[in-house]
Amino acid sequence: MSTDTLEPVVTPDLVWAKVRNRTLFTIFVPLVILGYLIYTWFAFDVAGLLSKAQPERAAILATDSVAYKVHVTKNVRRDQLEVAIEGERRAAYDDTNYPDWVQVDGSNSVVDLGEGYLVEIVGKTMNFTVPGYGVITATATNTGVDITVPPGDQPDWLKTNPKKLDARPTLDRRVQVTRTKIEVHNFFGGWENFWFSFNSDLYGMSFSQLYALALSADRMDPEYSNLWHIVHEFLGNPDWQHGEIFLALLETIMMAVLGTITAAAFGLPLAFLAARNFTPSVFLRFGTRRLFDFLRGIDMLIWSLIFIRAFGLGPLTGALAIAFTDTGSLGKLFSEALENIDNKQVEGVRATGANQLQRYRFGVIPQILPVFVSQVLYYLESNTRSATVIGALGAGGIGLMLVETMKTSRDWENTSYIIILTILVVIVMDQTSSWLRRKLIEGK
């Protein structure tokens, strides 16, 4: 050590020792990370999960999210043909007004799927012409399906067994044959019947026609104005359930607002009991802080399950779950903000002769107000997302509707619609909270 500066003397041995330590550290840390990744690879059975992955299934769901399909169904027992959007009876085409790609001649029909793909239905027999492969023939019988395929290796998109034929040569074309029916799916881009249902008197109208109708004095329904009739038909669309979805979204927002406001209302007074500079009692501070730990230590989803068990399904259980968890979190944040206030401002208010309540009002609250507003708005925004997840457990709202549509695994465009609306609500909440934060804290 240098006797002049009291700093250690830099020697070659010291320099080499530091280089060795840094070299070992540089090698050791990546090795630890690599070891952890290798452990998780085997512990989580990543190889097994990858082997079970079905990317084609994901592609089908993605296609179904942005497209709709028209079912051409031949009931071989009743010798009846039905053409319907998504196979829904209420969205079935009239037998005198089939799409031009469906040609009917008596009990026989021809379905042109485009690009050379052609399905001929003759009685109980289906002939499916696939370009580059050949003709697949399937006949429904009393015991199953007799299937004839072109010679050679069977492609992966063709699945056959004595009971069923399922051919999907492309994502937008599919044919199925069982002993009771022959079904052809033809996919089209977009969301059909989004504005009005197939049976609505407004179906197929353009925006300009709707605008003119809304301004027209000739009422379509004598009970309502044309504008209200348009809104009523849109909200009452049975295929997309716009009215029910908007109500569910409102329920989710109300769940988040009620839970967050309740948490803030209870968290602020409790924070004074947990702050060192406001509560001299060690036992009271300790008890309040442990209460915060208890409330926020249990996840919101667990609280939701507990309240569903106790009070049943409904949005109130979701609001209670949010309130319990956030009371712990906000109380802890508020208590830390209270412990860091400037006592000079409080003493200044005291010097004016103010009582204790006035000192809190004018000396303490203004100092923690930015933290209070900022955190409450942040939690409100976050709880909008959480309320969706809680709702999926049974608390109601848009989360429950989302789960119900996903359970059907049929109309994924409805699922996409709900997800898009949920994202839009989160964006609106984010922008609104940012605007309020600037207004209340920065005064802009």
Side-chain angles (χ1 to χ4, degrees), residues 107-151:
S107 61
N108 304 327
S109 55
V110 177
V111 182
D112 186 358
L113 298 179
E115 299 179 357
Y117 294 89
L118 194 70
V119 179
E120 297 177 90
I121 302 175
V122 180
K124 297 182 178 181
T125 300
M126 182 278 307
N127 297 311
F128 185 20
T129 302
V130 180
Y133 180 63
V135 178
I136 303 168
T137 301
T139 302
T141 66
N142 293 332
T143 57
V145 183
D146 291 336
I147 302 171
T148 303
V149 300

Side-chain angles (χ1 to χ4, degrees), residues 76-288:
V76 296
R77 290 181 176 174
R78 299 177 181 175
D79 195 24
Q80 292 178 342
L81 186 75
E82 182 183 78
V83 182
I85 297 172
E86 298 291 354
E88 298 287 348
R89 288 188 178 276
R90 61 174 177 268
Y93 287 87
D94 188 82
D95 55 6
T96 60
N97 189 29
Y98 287 142
D100 54 6
W101 48 272
V102 178
Q103 302 296 324
V104 179
D105 181 13
S107 61
N108 304 327
S109 55
V110 177
V111 182
D112 186 358
L113 298 179
E115 299 179 357
Y117 294 89
L118 194 70
V119 179
E120 297 177 90
I121 302 175
V122 180
K124 297 182 178 181
T125 300
M126 182 278 307
N127 297 311
F128 185 20
T129 302
V130 180
Y133 180 63
V135 178
I136 303 168
T137 301
T139 302
T141 66
N142 293 332
T143 57
V145 183
D146 291 336
I147 302 171
T148 303
V149 300
D153 297 334
Q154 185 169 310
D156 295 335
W157 49 263
L158 177 60
K159 296 178 175 58
T160 59
N161 63 58
K163 300 291 185 183
K164 183 178 181 180
L165 176 141
D166 188 347
R168 189 163 192 165
T170 64
L171 282 175
D172 55 350
R173 300 176 181 90
R174 187 176 191 181
V175 176
Q176 293 176 305
V177 181
T178 64
R179 65 189 181 96
T180 59
K181 65 180 179 180
I182 299 170
E183 191 164 356
V184 182
H185 296 173
N186 198 5
F187 287 74
F188 300 89
W191 291 349
E192 185 67 357
N193 302 342
F194 178 77
W195 300 106
F196 304 105
S197 66
F198 194 76
N199 296 321
S200 171
D201 50 6
L202 304 178
Y203 177 79
M205 284 191 176
S206 64
F207 282 103
S208 59
Q209 289 175 314
L210 292 172
Y211 180 73
L213 179 63
L215 299 179
S216 173
D218 297 330
R219 293 189 171 188
M220 297 187 70
D221 187 334
E223 299 293 329
Y224 307 106
S225 67
N226 285 343
L227 179 59
W228 177 244
H229 180 66
I230 293 171
V231 173
H232 181 266
E233 287 292 305
F234 173 73
L235 295 178
N237 188 332
D239 298 325
W240 291 89
Q241 301 178 319
H242 300 295
E244 289 85 349
I245 289 176
F246 292 157
L247 283 177
L249 275 174
L250 181 62
E251 197 173 72
T252 299
I253 295 172
M254 294 302 296
M255 196 190 307
V257 171
L258 178 61
T260 307
I261 291 177
T262 304
F266 282 94
L268 183 59
L270 288 173
F272 281 92
L273 298 178
R276 187 181 302 106
N277 49 344
F278 285 91
T279 304
S281 172
V282 176
F283 295 104
L284 190 54
R285 290 203 312 268
F286 179 83
T288 307

Side-chain angles (χ1 to χ4, degrees), residues 252-253 256-257 260 322 379-389 398 422 425-426 429:
T252 299
I253 295 172
V257 171
T260 307
I322 293 172
Y379 273 81
L380 175 60
E381 172 197 331
S382 175
N383 286 335
T384 307
R385 297 188 294 270
S386 301
T388 303
V389 179
I398 197 66
T422 305
V425 167
V426 171
M429 292 297 290

